[in-house]
Amino acid sequence: MSDYISLNGTPGGGGFMTMKLKWGDENLRLLAKMADDAPVSILVHDFDGTILYANEESLRLHGYTREEFLAKNLHEIDLPEDKELTAVRMQDIQEKEKADFEVRHFRKDGSVIILHVNKKTVEWKGRKLLLSIAIDLTERKRAEEALQLFRNLVDHSSDAIGIATPGGRHYYQNKAFEKLFGDIGDDPLHAMYVDKAVGKQVFDTIVGGGRWQGEVKMFVTDRTVRDIFLRAYAIKNPDSRIIGLVGLHTDITEQKQTEKKLRESEERFRVVFDNANDAIILIAVSPEGMPERIIAVNEIACRRMKYTHDEFLRLPVQNINAPETLEDRQKNIKHLMVSGDATFEGVHITKDGERIPVEISAHTFNFHGRGLILTHIRDITERKRVDEELHTLNNQLEKKVQERTAELEQVNLMLTEQNLTLQIMNASTRALLTVHNEAGFMPQICTELVQTGRYSHVWLAGIGTDKQMGIVATASDGAPRFSDLLVNGLWPACADRICRAEGVQVITSLDPVCTGCPLSRLHTDCYTIVMRLNAGGKNVGLMGVTPWPGILPTHQETERIGQIAQEIAFAILYLRTKNLEQTAYNQISKNLEQLAILNDHIRNPLQGIVGYAGMGEGESFTKIIELSMEIDSIVTKLDEGYLESKKIRDFMELHEHIAREHDRISDVAKETGTDNSHHPPGRRKIGENHSSL
């Protein structure tokens, strides 16, 4: 056997610290065994941190084998943040040769242990070493932290917590208890409980080891009464011996008031819910976001759908909807779940199969994390009936409006046509008012017709009694279509055609008679309307018009052109008649002038003859005088004819608007010195002159 033993208790040495002893020295061997088996950590290390010895408890606490731990330096297992503190402690130990403090070490698995260390300097073979004896504080520290945490929780709890001895003497209260109840002394039963019998019941229950929970009324700091929810129980040790009494007090005064208001609100809601005019159904939403089941319905919904309340709640949602509305319902539900609100129409099926058209107004919301759909359902049967009636009435009204509109459009078209015709007729009248002969009338009426905006080109040609084309007039808005009429005595081909035809003729621009016309300078995709101008059974002229593109040669249009042609024909005939009247008038005036001159030329010589005959005597002279008197009577009758003719002329001037041609009668009378405007010729009697002779 070896003569050496290590302090680790293994025979044969091998440690850093070994001692030589005789194998029989049992006291020293027992000392080494006690060091290894000690319940505290024992370390021997130098001031550089080299570990020279570690007992079994030290190895267990740090989680290393002996070889692993002895290979470590003490600084390697110190926490990095404690290194500066470790240097200070080493300096303090060197000065005082001992110290005690708390230290934190890493275990092999990386966890941290907290040790309370007592260090003392020792000498070993001339070396100054440190002997460390440490106690594990990890569990105690955790218990202290837990206790501190519990104390913080109790102190800062919103519940008022009070603790009493098993005999009922109050000795602890947290901040909430202090704020709510204040100082209650040693006897909580009499200081706190409004109903002392209830307080005694609570006390007896928990003193007997039981638990009591319920609502009680208690006095608070200002001695007002509050509603308190109390949980009271006894604290027991592991041997089931009561070591204290605890009371947890929650002020539920506001909660009870809120609950009361909530109950009242629920009652009001239920009254409104059940007495609403519309059916109301509350539907739960599945996790997939689809209507899942009905969880609430009001009375009107039950009556309308003819289900009992319980039957309705067991009814699948899809069962109340008409099958044919499935596709629309799916679209509406999808829109509802996206937007949160939707209003749409549907059809519900009652318990007995009746179909009810409805308008559904739906809204989604969350209640305590649960998706719900609130639907207001209105029976729109009457509305549908009224809508159908209105639709029918609207259709009937629309039909009548369309019919009336068509009638008005027809009347308006007729009035427009009549107004246009009247405008064109007025154009003829204006032309007659501004001109007094055919030569001036025809260009004027052409211009007036073009200015109506309906015709782009107009031409007129007058035909005399000799059936030859006379006065020709044209007008156009733009380039002339008809020009140089009667060039070299030629008529337009269309004019030649109309002379041989009756009524209105429509000739397109593609007609050979038009395209081959050498007198036309403009060829377009329009058409020309030509006709004869007939008045009083006579053909007084020809007329051609070219409407603007877009104005079709309808019956109304050709009829209007015919009316225009008739008016123009009558106007031409009127002007020609007026011209004849003017010619007759001029001839009458001329005859009157000549008659006045002739009367004077007869009477002047006749007076001389009578004068000379009066100088002689005898039957011959008497006969001459008698013959002269007969001549005078004839001249007197001519005077009377002059006066009648003058009356006719004056009447024509007054009523027929025929003017004298430069008042030639007066001018001639003045030139000849026979102005008898104040004393008509023939008024001087031959007898007057004869008696004077």
Side-chain angles (χ1 to χ4, degrees), residues 176-214:
F177 192 101
E178 177 70 26
K179 182 178 180 181
L180 182 61
F181 298 108
D183 186 5
I184 64 169
D186 294 336
D187 188 2
L189 176 61
H190 293 87
M192 297 173 61
Y193 290 89
V194 175
D195 188 341
K196 302 299 187 288
V198 173
K200 187 175 184 308
Q201 179 187 2
V202 173
F203 183 76
D204 291 344
T205 299
I206 62 177
V207 166
R211 299 176 67 89
W212 194 96
Q213 178 174 301

Side-chain angles (χ1 to χ4, degrees), residues 103 193 247 262 266 282 316 378 398 412 448 511 549 553 562 585 606:
V103 67
Y193 290 89
L262 182 60
E266 288 176 350
L282 189 62
R378 178 164 296 178
E398 184 176 354
N412 184 57
E448 291 280 356
D511 193 300
Y585 170 82
L606 188 60

Side-chain angles (χ1 to χ4, degrees), residues 17 246 267 501:
M17 298 182 65
V246 178
E267 290 174 1

Side-chain angles (χ1 to χ4, degrees), residues 190-250:
H190 293 87
M192 297 173 61
Y193 290 89
V194 175
D195 188 341
K196 302 299 187 288
V198 173
K200 187 175 184 308
Q201 179 187 2
V202 173
F203 183 76
D204 291 344
T205 299
I206 62 177
V207 166
R211 299 176 67 89
W212 194 96
Q213 178 174 301
E215 295 181 11
V216 296
K217 291 188 179 295
M218 290 185 172
F219 294 111
V220 294
T221 304
D222 59 2
R223 300 307 291 171
T224 58
V225 177
R226 306 283 288 184
D227 291 306
I228 304 298
F229 182 70
L230 173 64
R231 287 89 71 204
Y233 56 91
I235 305 174
K236 299 178 182 179
N237 66 6
D239 297 331
S240 297
R241 183 171 61 86
I242 297 175
I243 59 176
L245 306 176
V246 178
L248 282 75
H249 308 77
T250 303

Side-chain angles (χ1 to χ4, degrees), residues 87-143:
V88 173
R89 289 169 178 169
M90 289 297 179
Q91 182 65 32
D92 189 50
I93 291 172
Q94 286 182 349
E95 293 176 357
K96 299 179 179 179
E97 295 187 347
K98 64 179 180 179
D100 68 291
F101 48 84
E102 290 183 6
V103 67
R104 294 180 298 174
H105 284 176
F106 282 120
R107 300 182 77 250
K108 182 179 179 180
D109 61 6
S111 60
V112 176
I113 57 174
I114 303 172
L115 304 172
H116 183 271
V117 181
N118 283 284
K119 286 185 183 288
K120 183 177 177 60
T121 58
V122 296
E123 287 189 8
W124 180 260
K125 293 182 179 182
R127 293 179 63 186
K128 199 170 186 178
L129 303 175
L130 291 172
L131 174 64
S132 297
I133 300 175
I135 301 173
D136 184 5
L137 299 180
T138 305
E139 292 301 323
R140 189 175 78 182
K141 285 289 185 181
R142 290 174 180 169

Side-chain angles (χ1 to χ4, degrees), residues 387-573:
D387 286 347
E388 185 64 28
E389 291 180 358
L390 287 175
H391 180 69
T392 302
L393 291 174
N394 283 337
N395 287 340
Q396 294 174 355
L397 180 60
E398 184 176 354
K399 183 178 179 182
K400 290 182 179 180
V401 168
Q402 289 175 351
E403 292 174 354
R404 185 58 178 162
T405 301
E407 292 175 0
L408 291 175
E409 287 176 350
Q410 187 64 30
V411 171
N412 184 57
L413 178 61
M414 182 178 67
L415 291 174
T416 302
E417 297 290 338
Q418 291 178 353
N419 183 56
L420 180 60
T421 303
L422 184 60
Q423 289 180 10
I424 296 172
M425 299 304 182
N426 288 339
S428 176
T429 303
R430 285 194 300 271
L432 287 174
L433 292 175
T434 55
V435 298
H436 302 290
N437 52 63
E438 187 177 352
F441 170 75
M442 293 178 69
Q444 180 68 21
I445 193 63
C446 286
T447 302
E448 291 280 356
L449 289 175
V450 169
Q451 288 178 350
T452 63
R454 195 165 184 85
Y455 309 110
S456 60
H457 311 283
V458 178
W459 64 267
L460 286 172
I463 297 178
T465 56
D466 56 359
K467 296 186 179 181
Q468 295 298 314
M469 190 175 294
I471 300 171
V472 177
T474 64
S476 64
D477 185 3
R481 179 168 175 77
F482 303 104
S483 61
D484 301 330
L485 293 177
L486 282 177
V487 174
N488 299 323
L490 295 175
W491 288 20
C494 57
D496 185 61
R497 176 189 290 184
I498 196 60
C499 282
R500 299 191 305 272
E502 292 290 339
V504 178
Q505 298 292 310
V506 179
I507 303 173
T508 67
S509 59
L510 301 178
D511 193 300
V513 76
C514 187
T515 56
C517 179
L519 305 179
S520 178
R521 292 182 179 174
L522 180 65
H523 296 284
T524 64
D525 58 350
C526 56
Y527 59 91
T528 299
I529 301 175
V530 294
M531 71 230 70
R532 289 191 298 183
L533 303 178
N534 293 325
K538 299 178 181 179
N539 182 12
V540 298
L542 304 175
M543 175 180 176
V545 297
T546 302
W548 283 105
I551 300 177
L552 301 177
T554 60
H555 173 72
Q556 292 87 347
E557 187 64 33
T558 56
E559 190 176 58
R560 180 185 302 107
I561 295 297
Q563 293 177 353
I564 295 170
Q566 189 68 44
E567 289 294 324
I568 293 174
F570 281 121
I572 291 174
L573 183 60

Side-chain angles (χ1 to χ4, degrees), residues 2-212:
S2 174
D3 293 333
Y4 295 88
I5 185 169
S6 72
L7 289 181
N8 290 322
T10 56
F16 284 99
M17 298 182 65
T18 58
M19 60 180 74
K20 186 177 180 180
L21 48 80
K22 292 181 179 180
W23 184 253
D25 193 346
E26 292 297 330
N27 288 331
L28 190 57
R29 190 182 301 276
L30 180 61
L31 179 62
K33 178 65 174 171
M34 290 175 61
D36 268 350
D37 295 340
V40 295
S41 170
I42 301 176
L43 288 177
V44 177
H45 59 88
D46 61 16
F47 281 89
D48 293 329
T50 302
I51 301 173
L52 303 175
Y53 168 77
N55 69 347
E56 290 296 330
E57 180 63 12
S58 182
L59 297 176
R60 186 187 68 79
L61 287 177
H62 289 86
Y64 290 98
T65 64
R66 186 176 304 280
E67 289 76 13
E68 291 173 339
F69 196 64
L70 293 179
K72 290 282 183 182
N73 188 286
L74 194 59
H75 298 311
E76 293 179 27
I77 61 176
D78 283 338
L79 266 66
E81 55 266 30
D82 292 346
K83 286 183 179 180
E84 292 183 3
L85 188 59
T86 299
V88 173
R89 289 169 178 169
M90 289 297 179
Q91 182 65 32
D92 189 50
I93 291 172
Q94 286 182 349
E95 293 176 357
K96 299 179 179 179
E97 295 187 347
K98 64 179 180 179
D100 68 291
F101 48 84
E102 290 183 6
V103 67
R104 294 180 298 174
H105 284 176
F106 282 120
R107 300 182 77 250
K108 182 179 179 180
D109 61 6
S111 60
V112 176
I113 57 174
I114 303 172
L115 304 172
H116 183 271
V117 181
N118 283 284
K119 286 185 183 288
K120 183 177 177 60
T121 58
V122 296
E123 287 189 8
W124 180 260
K125 293 182 179 182
R127 293 179 63 186
K128 199 170 186 178
L129 303 175
L130 291 172
L131 174 64
S132 297
I133 300 175
I135 301 173
D136 184 5
L137 299 180
T138 305
E139 292 301 323
R140 189 175 78 182
K141 285 289 185 181
R142 290 174 180 169
E144 288 176 353
E145 290 175 356
L147 181 61
Q148 183 61 40
L149 176 62
F150 174 75
R151 181 179 293 277
N152 286 336
L153 290 174
V154 171
D155 282 345
H156 294 89
S157 172
S158 59
D159 289 331
I161 301 175
I163 303 177
T165 64
R169 183 177 63 81
H170 180 73
Y171 71 90
Y172 171 80
Q173 60 190 35
N174 68 352
K175 294 179 181 179
F177 192 101
E178 177 70 26
K179 182 178 180 181
L180 182 61
F181 298 108
D183 186 5
I184 64 169
D186 294 336
D187 188 2
L189 176 61
H190 293 87
M192 297 173 61
Y193 290 89
V194 175
D195 188 341
K196 302 299 187 288
V198 173
K200 187 175 184 308
Q201 179 187 2
V202 173
F203 183 76
D204 291 344
T205 299
I206 62 177
V207 166
R211 299 176 67 89
W212 194 96

